[in-house]
Every structure is written in structure tokens, then in C-alpha cells.
Amino acid sequence: MARAEETSDQLCAAYPVRGGDGPSSYAVNSVYQRGAVAAAKEFISKAIEEKLDMEILLSSKTFHIADLGCAVGPNSFFSAENIIEAVELKYKSQGLNSQTLEFQVFFNDITANDFNKLFRSLPSNRQYYAAGVPGSFYGRLFPNASIDLFHSAFAIPWMSQVPKAVMDRNSPAWNKGRIFYSDASDEVVSAYEAQNAEDMERFLHARAQEIVSGGLMVFFIPGRPDGTPHSHTLPNVIYQILGSCLMDLARKGVVDEEKVDSFNIPNYLMSSKELENAVERNGCFSIERRENLDHFFAHDTVYKSPQLLASQIRASLEGLFKQQFGDEILDELFELYGKKLEEQQSMVESGKAVVFLVVLRRTAN
């Protein structure tokens, strides 16, 4: 899961997912993401079979893939293997010898990501050349027309920064007492919406320059079902409960309430309409395929287990909380969080969730 790195504010550069191999690491606590990637394997295979331009395969003996927001694996490796398998099948379907085709996979995340863990975990039997590309995916990462296929799973909702207005005490959008926009005022929601629109413009502009004509982008984007209020989405419910834990600790004097008031999670869940609008405004891509992975949540064990869910959220957000509040409160905070999730399980299960599976194609320049 990536956190985009801002060159001006440096706000998001310092909180990667938790690295290493320990019980609280992201590598151990990303079962939900892994399950979604597995559930979408057929979607990726069909997208490549039906939409990948053969001219791209015939124009070079090396196929270049970039995974944006790779975190520390192993989910990125699984995705890379799925993509390579599908490309090889496409190649063979044209009567070509796939053994002559080589693959280069670029793993991208912010500079603070645990790339050491990532590369130590690379599969020994991999059929591709691997390289790391540190930096923000809200800016340029690659040379012009150098990537054949972009992939990103669960990273795009992470914004480049917290909207400035929600941090300003003199602004109508100041988000006092909350850490997210889920149950906040219209002004706070509007600030998040505007920041997301700006970020998507930058993201698509950079990718349009880096991808070859006819190249594909395959994204898994946690989003908001159309017509669902922000406060009713599952991730927003989860963050709302986490925010209430912080306020409980503030009332006990464990954390400074002013630190809670100045803390917001830079994450936004788009609707499908917002995604369509962003692609249309950019004008360089066509939406070739789109499906909603919503049935997956009904069977996902993470959201039915309060302790598993608390562990996953900690692995994803620990760096952000540590930056704002220090190490000392983390165990107490997430122990309380696990208890509250258990107490409010019915509220969690009522949250609406969807993952958009999207395939974009770069149109002719």
C-alpha cells in the first residue's frame, strides 16, 4: 500500500507500511489484499487477453511492467506472476514462442518503504528482472513511453497530502476532534474531494507520458458504491471507530487533544463516477473494462474478526500514528481499537464496500 511522497510538504513521505517480518508487519497482515488479488486473477487474464495490443508484444523482446505502491510483498509478486502468465498466454495464442520474451518488473513505493524486505523476499524462481523505483506516483517515475503495463492494488486511495483546509483552525473545513472525513462537515468532505481530484489529475498526467501508446493500466481501487454516503462506507466506519479510540485516550490524558485535532488520515474513497470524471478530464485513456469486486467482502475473514482487522489497520497505519503521537501509545491504542471493533461488530458489518477493478488503455498520442 503506497503513501505518495510530496516534494513540497513531505507530509506523507515518512509513513510507509510496517516493514520487516514480525507479527505486526504488513507482510503478515495483508491477507485481505492478497485475497482480493487472487479473486481478481481471472479479470486480469481476460483484460490482457482481450485488450493488450499485439503490436506492443511484437515491437520489443522485453515487456515492461510497473507495480505502483508495491509495499513489501508478497502480494506484488503474486500480481506480477499473474500478469506475466497472462501475457505469455497471449503471446502463445498468436503462435509465437513465449520463451523469446523477457520481462522487467519495476516495484515502486515511497522512499521510506522497506525495499530491503521487498528484495529479500523476491521469489527465487521468478521469471523476470526486478528493479526498485522509489518515489511518489503523483509525479514522474519513468522515461517517456517506457512502460507497457502499469498495475496498482489498493494504493490509489492514499492521497499526496492531507487537504490543507482541514488542518487550518481558521478554515470552515477544520476537522477538529476527528481523524477522517467520514462523519465530518460538508466543508471537510469537499476539501477531501478536491484534493483527490487534484491528485488524480497529476497521477494520470504522469502515467500518460510514461506508458506506450496502446499500453494498459490495471488498477484495484477501494471505493465508495455509487449513492452511498461517505459515512456508510466500510473503511470510513473503521476509521471513525479508530478516531474515537484516540479521543478516549485524549480524555484520559494519554495523548494531547491538540495533536488529535491536527491529525487526519490522507485517504479518500472515490465513487465510480468520480473515477470516470478523472479519466475523462485527463483525456489520454479509455476505460476498457470495469468490474466491482463487492461479493468478496461478504466472505472475507478479516472484516469478521476484530483482532485480525485491528492488526491489519495497525500494519498499514502504524508509521503515520508513530509520526504524530510517538511509539508509546501504539500498543494501548490498538488494544483498545480491537476491543471497540468487537463491541461494534454490527456497525462494521453494516459498512458498504467495493473494490473497482479497472483497465485503462492509453489512446493514440
Side-chain angles (χ1 to χ4, degrees):
M1 189 182 300
R3 314 295 196 274
E5 182 178 34
E6 273 291 303
T7 54
S8 56
D9 299 305
Q10 300 297 318
L11 177 65
C12 301
Y15 59 95
V17 297
R18 179 160 179 168
D21 302 293
S24 298
S25 67
Y26 184 77
V28 172
N29 292 285
S30 55
V31 209
Y32 154 69
Q33 289 88 341
R34 195 171 313 153
V37 169
K41 181 178 180 179
E42 185 179 349
F43 175 85
I44 290 178
S45 298
K46 283 187 177 179
I48 290 172
E49 177 189 354
E50 297 172 4
K51 303 299 180 182
L52 183 62
D53 193 336
M54 274 306 299
E55 287 186 14
I56 293 174
L57 292 177
L58 296 174
S59 64
S60 171
K61 292 298 182 185
T62 305
F63 190 85
H64 300 93
I65 301 164
D67 186 48
L68 305 176
C70 63
V72 294
N75 299 335
S76 280
F77 308 144
F78 187 35
S79 296
E81 288 161 8
N82 288 345
I83 292 166
I84 289 169
E85 181 182 323
V87 172
E88 286 182 330
L89 285 173
K90 172 87 171 183
Y91 207 70
K92 290 176 183 175
S93 72
Q94 304 299 311
L96 301 170
N97 180 4
S98 64
Q99 291 183 347
T100 63
L101 187 63
E102 294 187 305
F103 294 91
Q104 170 84 65
V105 180
F106 298 100
F107 295 100
N108 157 258
D109 213 311
I110 60 168
T111 54
N113 186 56
D114 190 351
F115 281 100
N116 286 333
K117 160 64 181 170
L118 177 79
F119 289 115
R120 282 197 306 268
S121 306
L122 277 169
S124 57
N125 62 342
R126 65 187 181 278
Q127 299 177 12
Y128 54 86
Y129 297 97
V133 181
S136 168
F137 57 46
Y138 288 115
R140 288 292 300 272
L141 293 166
F142 303 98
N144 288 337
S146 61
I147 302 298
D148 299 304
L149 188 148
F150 278 106
H151 172 270
S152 185
F154 298 93
I156 291 176
W158 291 98
M159 302 190 300
S160 66
Q161 61 179 347
V162 172
K164 289 183 171 65
V166 307
M167 307 286 285
D168 182 357
R169 290 174 175 271
N170 298 316
S171 166
W174 185 38
N175 202 23
K176 177 179 171 57
R178 299 182 183 88
I179 66 170
F180 207 47
Y181 66 91
S182 53
D183 59 341
S185 67
D186 290 344
E187 289 83 1
V188 173
V189 174
S190 294
Y192 268 83
E193 288 173 346
Q195 184 65 55
N196 173 73
E198 179 185 327
D199 284 346
M200 287 301 296
E201 181 179 349
R202 293 167 57 194
F203 177 85
L204 291 171
H205 177 70
R207 302 296 82 77
Q209 297 171 75
E210 297 165 345
I211 197 167
V212 300
S213 180
L216 298 182
M217 302 206 298
V218 182
F219 298 143
F220 297 35
I221 306 175
R224 176 169 55 93
D226 287 331
T228 301
H230 288 283
S231 58
H232 292 179
T233 62
L234 177 56
N236 289 337
V237 169
I238 289 168
Y239 289 146
Q240 184 180 335
I241 295 172
L242 183 55
S244 73
C245 294
L246 267 178
M247 289 305 295
D248 286 350
L249 295 185
R251 281 188 283 271
K252 289 169 61 177
V254 176
V255 298
D256 186 339
E257 188 170 341
E258 286 194 5
K259 283 194 171 184
V260 180
D261 291 340
S262 63
F263 177 77
N264 290 269
I265 297 174
N267 183 288
Y268 181 79
L269 297 160
M270 285 184 283
S271 66
S272 63
K273 187 63 178 173
E274 287 174 301
L275 177 59
E276 289 170 10
N277 289 343
V279 174
E280 186 177 332
R281 282 194 304 270
N282 173 264
C284 295
F285 296 94
S286 58
I287 299 178
E288 295 293 322
R289 283 177 65 91
R290 193 183 73 201
E291 290 182 14
N292 292 350
L293 191 63
D294 44 14
H295 63 279
F296 170 74
F297 293 93
H299 307 288
D300 183 57
T301 55
V302 171
Y303 288 102
K304 296 182 181 298
S305 168
Q307 292 309 317
L308 272 178
L309 181 54
S311 295
Q312 174 162 305
I313 297 299
R314 177 170 183 170
S316 299
L317 298 182
E318 181 173 297
L320 178 60
F321 280 83
K322 182 178 176 180
Q323 182 187 37
Q324 179 77 356
F325 303 105
D327 283 326
E328 299 79 12
I329 73 157
L330 294 177
D331 289 342
E332 184 175 358
L333 171 64
F334 285 99
E335 183 179 346
L336 176 60
Y337 185 43
K339 290 176 181 176
K340 278 207 173 190
L341 286 172
E342 192 165 357
E343 292 168 0
Q344 301 182 46
Q345 184 66 17
S346 60
M347 182 179 174
V348 173
E349 291 181 357
S350 70
K352 307 298 182 184
V354 66
V355 174
F356 302 128
L357 307 182
V358 185
V359 176
L360 305 182
R361 187 209 291 266
R362 178 64 164 101
T363 53
N365 296 333

